[in-house]
Amino acid sequence: MCGIVGYVGKRNSLPIILDGLKRMEYRGYDSAGVSIINSENKIINFKKAGKVDEMSKSIDKDIFSGNIGIGHTRWATHGIPNDCNAHPHFDMDDNIVIVHNGIIENYKQIKSKLADEGYTFKTETDTEVLANLINYYFKQTGEFEKAVRLALTDVNGTYGIACLCASEPDKMIIARNGSPLLIGIGNDETIVSSDASAVINHTRNVVYLEEGDMAIIKENGFKMKTIYDERIFREAKEIDFLIESIEKGGYDHFMLKEICEQPDSIQNTYRGRINFDTGITKLGGLESVFDKMLNAKRFIITACGTAWHAGLVGEYMLEQYCKVPVEVEYASEFRYRRPIINPDDVVILISQSGETADTLAALREAKKYGATTIGVVNVIGSTIAREVDAGTYVHAGPEIGVASTKAFTSQVMSLALITLMLAAEKKTISKDSLKEIATELKSLPGKIQNMIDIRNEYKKVAELFKDSRNFLYLGRGINFPVALEGALKLKEISYIHAEGYPAAEMKHGPIALIDENMPVVFIAPKDRIYEKVISNIEEVRARSGKIIVIATDDDKDIGSYADHILRVPRSSALFAPILNVIPLQFLSYYMAVARGCNVDQPRNLAKSVTVE
Ligand code: M6R
């Protein structure tokens, strides 16, 4: 959510900052800006509402030159997205300039105290208040570093910041609390960012800031401290992905690329973790807590959005195969609901980014009560991955499209692996079933590829319904969360209202919505509740709803019930959600394209939601 980039070195900082902002635009894209210290040690600033490209086109590149600079791409929290509220923000004296991700929760109190001291403000943002608070302490101490430190000890909330000071033009100061930041160590240069994608073009060597860390960056390198002035040293790590994985590679959109990557991303999730002869699964990252998992009285899965849907699939898997009770909670509700958490509970946190503020807060809540915490995370080294007791990376690779696709299927795969590992040890699954599942797993990437190859079939159906105003998605059992996920994908990128429901619940209310204008997507694989779903289809048919069915290849009867059929390969219940969601991803993608929507940057959304 929002992207920060900064440069200190010998090169002109502007092109590096603009390139970094462009690469991070999926984090927020309602306005963008840069501030650079020029050769006369003056801070020059340009910011504009709209996409990075608009800002980049309007900026006067002859004037904007200097070896130290910061930039920001914004997802608005405080103040509407306009030129004025865009970052960077100056203090009242135009001496200090700052870019900020996160929310300063006590900014109103600070603002009113500063106003009493004669401070004035031009914007509605919390960030401008922080800039002025730094100014306040700078006036008292005459030292930029001390001023930043003192200001940060006054604020409540979350921040990742980078700031410059015209009075001390040789340095940039950055700090982190609850919002990610990293330092890229280049040759005679340092590139700072909230996201590795903005740095990887220049260096693979990075230091991740931890909560309460600060860094003072100069041309000859950087030193790190806590905001309480203790010297610290953090080891450099290597970025674990290639630059190609964050580029579109010939696809029209990242979302399409990521949907089509799923044969590989799924394999990357299970590679080296399952013995295909025996079906025995081993997840090295969970070894240290495996006994706790075996003895757990209850699992709680908590996550947001798409990751929460994966969690619901996990509930079905763990309960059915491991015979252990599971609860699935919205992470955003978890903390405030005052949940009853016991030390013998295992809490699974699922997150693509590993930075979602609500999920992170749920993790900290669970830890407070002594529960064992497990992460199912995609981004390596992210905050959730670092703070859990143990975890398993889903290894889906960087996901840039705001609508999550390959991360979902890899999250579901990770939960399937956890299920198999536990069920084998608990002996709640037979050896033969384990072997069968392992054999089936081998065929999964090929089955996904088959669906990708026939995507034009899905596209034709999508285009027929592009002008629909509403959609219903219905599924039962393990496919109910798939219905939720299909509806979420459609809402997110095509702005068509969609609801996901358990198919049999429809008759308790939503059935009132059905008429000849209501398309209803049924997920109806030939499984043990197929006949029940067919009855639900009949109920919609009787009311003239338009019926689109996700049906398995071997289902010869479905033609008499459906207006449109989206075919999927048959599989066991464990892997069915992975296959069944793929036509729904294509359906939403092609509908959004047909409606002329910006698929990779849907309005009002950002890839990772690092504010509450
Ligand atoms: O990074 P996370 O997995 O924690 O993100 C959770 C949700 O914000 C995310 O899944 C969101 O719902 C996506 N935009 C869905 O496509």
Side-chain angles (χ1 to χ4, degrees):
M1 187 147 270
C2 302
I4 287 178
V5 65
Y7 177 86
V8 183
K10 295 190 188 329
R11 293 194 275 166
N12 182 15
S13 55
L14 183 68
I16 298 158
I17 292 170
L18 292 179
D19 175 66
L21 291 181
K22 189 75 204 139
R23 287 183 188 280
M24 274 189 310
E25 211 173 13
Y26 69 109
R27 288 190 153 258
Y29 34 80
D30 57 42
S31 51
V34 286
S35 288
I36 284 176
I37 300 187
N38 69 11
S39 53
E40 290 158 22
N41 289 336
K42 290 215 172 78
I43 297 175
I44 40 178
N45 195 48
F46 185 78
K47 51 191 197 169
K48 195 167 170 40
K51 301 271 158 66
V52 172
D53 273 346
E54 286 163 46
M55 190 267 288
S56 181
K57 268 185 225 140
S58 320
I59 200 165
D60 184 342
K61 303 210 169 55
D62 296 331
I63 298 174
F64 268 77
S65 165
N67 312 126
I68 299 192
I70 54 178
H72 190 265
T73 174
R74 179 173 186 242
W75 184 88
T77 56
H78 292 67
I80 57 164
N82 59 19
D83 291 357
C84 178
N85 287 332
H87 295 217
H89 287 285
F90 273 108
D91 64 347
M92 162 179 97
D93 301 328
D94 290 347
N95 187 36
I96 285 153
V97 73
I98 180 169
V99 288
H100 165 219
N101 290 351
I103 294 177
I104 305 298
E105 284 166 4
N106 57 342
Y107 83 104
K108 284 202 170 129
Q109 294 93 303
I110 296 173
K111 191 171 184 174
S112 96
K113 277 190 196 150
L114 289 172
D116 291 345
E117 300 283 335
Y119 280 78
T120 54
F121 300 86
K122 295 185 206 106
T123 77
E124 301 153 51
T125 66
D126 51 342
T127 306
E128 189 192 14
V129 175
L130 182 55
N132 279 298
L133 188 62
I134 298 173
N135 168 304
Y136 171 80
Y137 283 116
F138 185 74
K139 281 186 175 149
Q140 291 191 356
T141 63
E143 281 178 48
F144 181 33
E145 182 191 324
K146 212 179 235 176
V148 174
R149 205 171 335 109
L150 290 171
L152 292 181
T153 50
D154 275 2
V155 301
N156 299 331
T158 55
Y159 54 79
I161 57 161
C163 45
L164 305 174
C165 175
S167 308
E168 295 185 29
D170 61 330
K171 61 176 76 90
M172 172 193 303
I173 298 185
I174 63 171
R176 166 198 172 138
N177 181 44
S179 199
L181 267 188
L182 57 90
I183 303 172
I185 308 165
N187 286 333
D188 292 332
E189 61 185 12
T190 306
I191 306 106
V192 160
S193 177
S194 49
D195 191 314
S197 60
V199 162
I200 191 171
N201 226 355
H202 312 285
T203 177
R204 305 189 68 79
N205 226 0
V206 295
V207 169
Y208 292 93
L209 269 69
E210 297 195 1
E211 305 299 23
D213 285 3
M214 265 176 88
I216 299 95
I217 302 162
K218 295 187 177 176
E219 197 191 298
N220 58 359
F222 62 92
K223 72 176 173 209
M224 294 189 72
K225 291 183 170 182
T226 67
I227 61 164
Y228 301 106
D229 206 20
E230 297 134 346
R231 272 309 291 271
I232 43 169
F233 174 78
R234 304 258 177 246
E235 220 172 295
K237 304 234 162 68
E238 197 172 330
I239 296 178
D240 64 306
F241 56 84
L242 299 173
I243 190 139
E244 297 79 60
S245 63
I246 55 165
E247 294 185 335
K248 274 193 222 152
Y251 286 91
D252 288 344
H253 298 97
F254 279 110
M255 182 179 177
L256 181 60
K257 179 183 176 231
E258 286 156 8
I259 296 174
C260 294
E261 277 172 352
Q262 288 174 107
D264 287 336
S265 52
I266 274 292
Q267 279 191 73
N268 290 338
T269 308
Y270 66 70
R271 180 172 292 121
R273 290 168 157 178
I274 183 161
N275 178 327
F276 286 110
D277 297 327
T278 60
I280 297 294
T281 301
K282 205 172 157 198
L283 294 161
L286 297 183
E287 255 170 37
S288 61
V289 294
F290 193 50
D291 282 346
K292 291 254 170 66
M293 292 172 77
L294 278 176
N295 298 320
K297 295 266 173 331
R298 175 177 68 153
F299 280 77
I300 300 172
I301 302 178
T302 180
C304 299
T306 285
W308 182 76
H309 298 155
L312 287 177
V313 176
E315 178 182 26
Y316 282 88
M317 290 175 172
L318 284 164
E319 290 201 339
Q320 191 176 327
Y321 289 87
C322 306
K323 312 292 175 215
V324 58
V326 181
E327 284 171 26
V328 186
E329 299 258 4
Y330 280 116
S332 52
E333 288 294 311
F334 191 65
R335 179 167 41 150
Y336 297 107
R337 211 174 56 75
R338 302 209 178 138
I340 298 164
I341 309 170
N342 302 308
D344 53 8
D345 288 335
V346 170
V347 179
I348 302 180
L349 296 302
I350 309 174
S351 175
Q352 187 288 126
S353 61
E355 301 293 349
T356 300
D358 290 321
T359 313
L360 184 57
L363 162 63
R364 291 175 179 164
E365 184 76 8
K367 287 186 95 166
K368 226 163 59 187
Y369 292 96
T372 301
T373 56
I374 291 176
V376 175
V377 170
N378 191 31
V379 176
I380 293 173
S382 54
T383 310
I384 294 173
R386 288 204 309 266
E387 290 195 14
V388 284
D389 295 319
T392 180
Y393 283 117
V394 307
H395 292 308
E399 191 180 67
I400 309 290
V402 167
S404 186
T405 52
K406 64 175 181 170
F408 173 75
T409 47
S410 285
Q411 287 160 351
V412 171
M413 176 54 70
S414 296
L415 292 163
L417 296 175
I418 292 175
T419 302
L420 291 176
M421 185 172 78
L422 271 179
E425 192 64 29
K426 282 173 167 264
K427 303 206 172 17
T428 46
I429 189 169
S430 72
K431 286 187 177 162
D432 285 346
S433 301
L434 274 177
K435 279 188 206 161
E436 262 169 47
I437 288 173
T439 308
E440 200 189 325
L441 183 56
K442 264 201 264 183
S443 67
L444 204 60
K447 288 180 179 172
I448 300 174
Q449 189 57 53
N450 290 344
M451 287 190 283
I452 292 167
D453 293 344
I454 59 155
R455 60 184 186 265
N456 262 335
E457 301 295 313
Y458 307 142
K459 182 178 179 190
K460 279 183 211 152
V461 177
E463 286 172 348
L464 290 175
F465 288 96
K466 74 175 175 52
D467 296 319
S468 300
R469 304 280 303 274
N470 296 289
F471 255 86
L472 267 182
Y473 284 72
L474 304 177
R476 297 188 77 152
I478 201 163
N479 286 304
F480 159 55
V482 178
L484 292 176
E485 176 59 9
L488 177 64
K489 287 292 86 96
L490 190 68
K491 280 186 270 209
E492 277 187 296
I493 59 168
S494 59
Y495 321 136
I496 297 172
H497 172 245
E499 298 276 354
Y501 248 82
E505 272 296 302
M506 176 191 61
K507 58 185 174 294
H508 297 288
I511 199 163
L513 297 167
I514 310 268
D515 62 12
E516 64 285 0
N517 297 317
M518 175 63 92
V520 185
V521 180
F522 279 93
I523 301 149
K526 271 234 159 177
D527 57 16
R528 67 187 173 85
I529 43 174
Y530 176 75
E531 301 300 336
K532 306 274 176 208
V533 181
I534 293 294
S535 306
N536 302 139
I537 293 177
E538 290 283 24
E539 288 155 12
V540 173
R541 246 161 61 95
R543 287 155 184 91
S544 308
K546 295 277 170 297
I547 296 166
I548 303 164
V549 182
I550 310 286
T552 33
D553 284 338
D554 58 351
D555 185 349
K556 305 285 177 254
D557 310 322
I558 197 70
S560 49
Y561 304 101
D563 296 308
H564 305 279
I565 305 170
L566 306 178
R567 290 286 178 185
V568 292
R570 190 169 191 149
S571 80
S572 70
L574 196 66
F575 301 129
I578 294 177
L579 297 176
N580 294 339
V581 79
I582 288 171
L584 302 184
Q585 295 171 345
F586 278 122
L587 203 60
S588 64
Y589 171 76
Y590 286 120
M591 254 191 266
V593 171
R595 288 164 68 86
C597 298
N598 186 338
V599 172
D600 284 334
Q601 295 176 347
R603 70 183 179 209
N604 304 338
L605 292 177
K607 181 68 185 160
S608 121
V609 185
T610 53
V611 292
E612 249 197 83

